[in-house]
C-alpha cells in the first residue's frame, strides 16, 4: 500500500497512528505530497479528485480517500477493533470521531486563513467563528475525557491527533487551561508508541 501524506497533516497522522496500533505501519509506503488548497498537487489529483491527503493506494491500484474511510479500511484489514461493532458503542465512537474531525477542520481553516490568504483578504470574524467551534469541541472532549481510561479506538485516536495539532499550529489557544481533563488524558495518550512515532515536529 502507498499513502500520499504530509507530515504536518493531522488527518494523515490519524491514519498512521491507526496503522501503528494495528501493526500495519510497515506495510505502507509513504509518498510525500504537496497538498495545498490553492496550488493543488497534480500527483494526488490523479488518484483523488479532491487532491487531498491522506489518500491510500491499495496494492490493486484502488484509491481510498479521507481519513475516516482509510482508518476503517485498515481496521478491517488488521482485524483490529478500533471501530466498535454495530450498535450504540459504534455510533458513539463515530460521533466522537466526527467531533474530533470537526475540530481539525476548524483549526485547518484558521491556519489557511492566516497562512494562505493574503492579509487584505483575511477575515477576523471568520477566524473567531472557527475558534469558537474549536472551543465547543474542546468542551465536549473535556467532559468525556475522564471516562477514556486506556481506551484506544477511533474516537481517542482522533481526539489525540486533534489535540496534538492544536499544539503544533495554534499554541496560542492555550487549550490545556480550557480543557484540564483532556490535558491530563492526553499527557498519557501522547506517550503511546504510535503517537510518538507520528509526531509532526
Amino acid at each position: 500500500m502507498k499513502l500520499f501524506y504530509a507530515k504536518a497533516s493531522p488527518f494523515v497522522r490519524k491514519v498512521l497512528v491507526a496503522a501503528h496500533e494495528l501493526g500495519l505501519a510497515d506495510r505502507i509506503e509513504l509518498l510525500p505530497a504537496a497538498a495545498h488548497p490553492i496550488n493543488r498537487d497534480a500527483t494526488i489529483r490523479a488518484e483523488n479528485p479532491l487532491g487531498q491527503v491522506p489518500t491510500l493506494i491499495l496494492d490493486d491500484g484502488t484509491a481510498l480517500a479521507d481519513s475516516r474511510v482509510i482508518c476503517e479500511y485498515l481496521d478491517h484489514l488488521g482485524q483490529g477493533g478500533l471501530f466498535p461493532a454495530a450498535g450504540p458503542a459504534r455510533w458513539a465512537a463515530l460521533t466522537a470521531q466526527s467531533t474530533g474531525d470537526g475540530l481539525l477542520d476548524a483549526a485547518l481553516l484558521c491556519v489557511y486563513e492566516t497562512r494562505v490568504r493574503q492579509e487584505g483578504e483575511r477575515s477576523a470574524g471568520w477566524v473567531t467563528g472557527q475558534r469558537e467551534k474549536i472551543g465547543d469541541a474542546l468542551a465536549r472532549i473535556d467532559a468525556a475525557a475522564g471516562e477514556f481510561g486506556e481506551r484506544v479506538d477511533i474516537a481517542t485516536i482522533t481526539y489525540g491527533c486533534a489535540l496534538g495539532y492544536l499544539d503544533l499550529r495554534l499554541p496560542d489557544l492555550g487549550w490545556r487551561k480550557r480543557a484540564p481533563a483532556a490535558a491530563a488524558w492526553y499527557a498519557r495518550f501522547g506517550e503511546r508508541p504510535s503517537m510518538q512515532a507520528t509526531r509532526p515536529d
Side-chain angles (χ1 to χ4, degrees):
M1 297 179 287
K2 298 179 180 181
L3 183 73
F4 285 105
Y5 89 111
K7 191 171 184 181
S9 166
F11 294 109
V12 168
R13 188 182 191 193
K14 179 178 153 186
V15 166
L16 292 177
V17 169
H20 278 277
E21 292 290 347
L22 294 164
L24 298 173
D26 60 351
R27 293 176 56 180
I28 300 175
E29 178 186 350
L30 299 179
L31 304 176
H36 191 275
I38 297 174
N39 304 315
R40 300 172 65 227
D41 189 327
T43 307
I44 311 172
R45 290 169 61 194
E47 304 292 347
N48 173 359
L50 300 179
Q52 296 173 331
V53 293
T55 295
L56 182 69
I57 311 301
L58 306 186
D59 294 338
D60 66 1
T62 300
L64 301 181
D66 190 276
S67 65
R68 287 169 283 201
V69 175
I70 296 170
C71 285
E72 191 149 6
Y73 172 79
L74 293 177
D75 191 56
H76 170 75
L77 185 65
Q79 299 179 336
L82 298 181
F83 290 80
R90 180 176 178 81
W91 311 132
L94 293 180
T95 298
Q97 177 183 212
S98 181
T99 298
D101 283 346
L103 185 158
L104 284 174
D105 286 336
L108 279 167
L109 289 172
C110 287
V111 171
Y112 289 157
E113 190 72 8
T114 56
R115 291 189 174 203
V116 177
R117 290 172 68 90
Q118 298 299 316
E119 188 169 350
E121 299 173 339
R122 296 172 189 163
S123 167
W126 174 265
V127 171
T128 297
Q130 301 308 316
R131 285 181 171 244
E132 286 177 357
K133 289 182 186 179
I134 293 169
D136 289 347
L138 275 174
R140 179 65 56 90
I141 296 169
D142 196 57
E147 303 299 321
F148 291 164
E150 301 304 314
R151 268 177 54 197
V152 180
D153 60 13
I154 196 58
T156 56
I157 288 172
T158 305
Y159 285 164
C161 292
L163 297 176
Y165 189 71
L166 294 182
D167 282 340
L168 180 68
R169 291 291 190 239
L170 297 174
D172 64 301
L173 197 66
W175 70 265
R176 285 175 175 79
K177 290 182 180 178
R178 302 169 65 174
W185 166 78
Y186 180 71
R188 301 189 306 273
F189 191 82
E191 292 301 314
R192 293 189 65 81
S194 62
M195 291 289 287
Q196 291 295 310
T198 59
R199 285 175 59 92
D201 50 355

